[in-house]
Amino acid sequence: MLSPQNISLQTINLPELSSLGIDLRILRLDLIHPEISGNKWFKLKYNLAFVKQKGFKKILTFGGAYSNHIVATAAAGKYFGIETIGIIRGEFYEPLNHSLSFATKCGMRLKYVSREVYKNKSNEAFLKELQQQYPHAYIIPEGGANNFAIQGCTEINKFIPNETDLICLACGTGSTLAGILSTAKAHQKFLGFSVLKGGDFLMNDVRRFLEEINIYKENFVINTDYHFGGYAKYTLELIGFMNDFYRKTAIPLDFVYTAKMMYGLFDLIKKGVIREKNILAIHTGGLQGNFSIKDKLIY
Ligand SMILES: *Cc1c(COP(=O)(O)O)cnc(C)c1O
């Protein structure tokens, strides 16, 4: 139903890398599709196949006001003729931001719930109630994080060169990392960067995602030092880094996920913490989020 196109692997040529003998490449999953972008494309792939196979007419899912998953699900609904419902964290206010107005234009129905209520998003009783309210809807968890997502993300491995010894990516739920890690080569280590403040639970969440498919791996670490204040928060330093990175490489990063990963990666390389020489950073997409800070970016 979805076939990956336009994905490319680019080398980042910068003196601070070559002087250390580091080969850093970036896997541009952001180029897959303008609307169903990056890792969200892989996370949705088997969910959509299941929806088609079972004949569901509706998808219901969850997200914050800037959620790339909400945007991707709304777009997929439009392309595949499936009704979509988004349970959105927080109050409704106008004008809608870019992400939510895009979702609405794709036909997604938005239902706002308070932060308190939203906390129940994976609570069984709450989900049961929602299912009764929307009896014909297929429910996908926040961030798309379910077993179909893990299955889809294993396919990202096809684009990762054998010789890569360290794979870096930004983590929200950790399910993308779990998916790639589940079928990665034994010599490949993973370094995730939590974009959430207090993301210490993420390593256990990754273990749990893997346990569900009977896989046990420990060749990964999730760093929690580069959240820049928390989810979708940023500092001028981060913005400066993004603009500088774009000037030097012509690669746009998003401020919620990939910029935090790349900043962290360069910082750890500079500090001598990272010893691997053959590094792959995954550009997981999310560029639509930059609309909300458009005036601060040179791209
Ligand atoms: C959702 C998202 C992530 C995080 O993926 P998880 O599987 O939730 O860890 C990373 N990068 C981008 C751009 C995203 O949109």
Side-chain angles (χ1 to χ4, degrees):
M1 191 138 84
L2 290 173
S3 77
Q5 282 159 349
N6 308 326
I7 292 177
S8 78
L9 199 57
Q10 297 172 3
T11 298
I12 298 183
N13 286 311
L14 290 173
E16 60 264 48
L17 299 172
S18 50
S19 65
L20 295 169
I22 290 177
D23 179 355
L24 173 61
R25 283 183 271 184
I26 183 165
L27 180 63
R28 299 286 308 271
L29 300 184
D30 58 307
L31 300 173
I32 297 180
H33 190 281
E35 294 165 348
I36 312 174
S37 137
N39 62 338
K40 298 304 183 286
W41 188 101
F42 288 92
K43 292 176 97 169
L44 281 174
K45 179 179 174 184
Y46 289 104
N47 278 295
L48 292 169
F50 183 74
V51 161
K52 279 278 165 205
Q53 184 203 329
K54 297 285 177 189
F56 284 103
K57 299 276 182 288
K58 287 182 199 168
I59 294 175
L60 180 146
T61 193
F62 307 84
Y66 296 95
S67 166
N68 294 320
H69 168 65
I70 287 288
V71 165
T73 305
K78 178 183 71 176
Y79 290 118
F80 299 113
I82 304 159
E83 269 183 62
T84 54
I85 301 144
I87 308 289
I88 308 298
R89 181 183 60 220
E91 305 304 314
F92 165 78
Y93 57 92
E94 278 187 311
L96 290 183
N97 72 24
H98 177 269
S99 312
L100 295 184
S101 96
F102 173 83
T104 306
K105 280 187 202 126
C106 291
M108 182 177 261
R109 268 191 294 153
L110 303 180
K111 191 172 181 295
Y112 297 83
V113 300
S114 70
R115 279 161 200 274
E116 278 310 302
V117 173
Y118 190 86
K119 281 193 190 130
N120 298 320
K121 63 187 187 291
S122 37
N123 173 314
E124 229 172 278
F126 180 67
L127 290 174
K128 218 167 156 186
E129 202 181 304
L130 272 175
Q131 192 72 79
Q132 278 163 0
Q133 236 174 306
Y134 301 96
H136 303 295
Y138 172 66
I139 299 180
I140 302 180
E142 181 184 55
N146 60 15
N147 279 352
F148 284 132
I150 305 263
Q151 186 190 349
C153 288
T154 63
E155 296 183 2
I156 296 171
N157 272 304
K158 278 192 274 196
F159 305 97
I160 299 180
N162 269 336
E163 63 272 23
T164 302
D165 44 29
L166 181 69
I167 296 163
C168 301
L169 73 159
C171 296
T173 64
S175 52
T176 301
L177 191 151
I180 305 173
L181 174 59
S182 71
T183 58
K185 310 270 173 340
H187 70 88
Q188 295 177 326
K189 288 193 201 130
F190 282 73
L191 173 57
F193 289 90
S194 168
V195 302
L196 313 169
K197 194 166 158 178
D200 296 319
F201 61 88
L202 274 169
M203 289 198 56
N204 273 332
D205 281 5
V206 169
R207 290 190 188 101
R208 208 156 23 225
F209 283 127
L210 291 174
E211 257 169 46
E212 275 185 40
I213 49 172
N214 294 313
I215 289 174
Y216 302 87
K217 294 206 172 187
E218 285 299 333
N219 51 331
F220 73 99
V221 169
I222 296 183
N223 179 298
T224 56
D225 296 334
Y226 299 96
H227 57 72
F228 290 85
Y231 182 75
K233 299 276 197 310
Y234 59 88
T235 62
L236 290 181
E237 197 183 352
L238 185 70
I239 303 292
F241 174 81
M242 291 167 75
N243 284 330
D244 195 46
F245 189 78
Y246 185 78
R247 241 178 250 120
K248 290 173 176 164
T249 65
I251 297 170
L253 300 172
D254 82 296
F255 78 102
V256 182
Y257 291 98
T258 51
K260 293 180 181 180
M261 163 198 66
M262 200 59 87
Y263 185 106
L265 175 57
F266 273 78
D267 199 43
L268 293 176
I269 287 174
K270 193 169 73 191
K271 289 178 173 155
V273 176
I274 290 181
R275 300 297 178 82
E276 285 80 5
K277 299 293 182 206
N278 211 315
I279 306 174
L280 180 79
I282 303 182
H283 195 316
T284 39
L287 292 170
Q288 65 87 25
N290 284 347
F291 271 99
S292 70
I293 57 160
K294 216 170 171 351
D295 55 325
K296 296 181 176 62
L297 297 174
I298 60 168
Y299 53 90

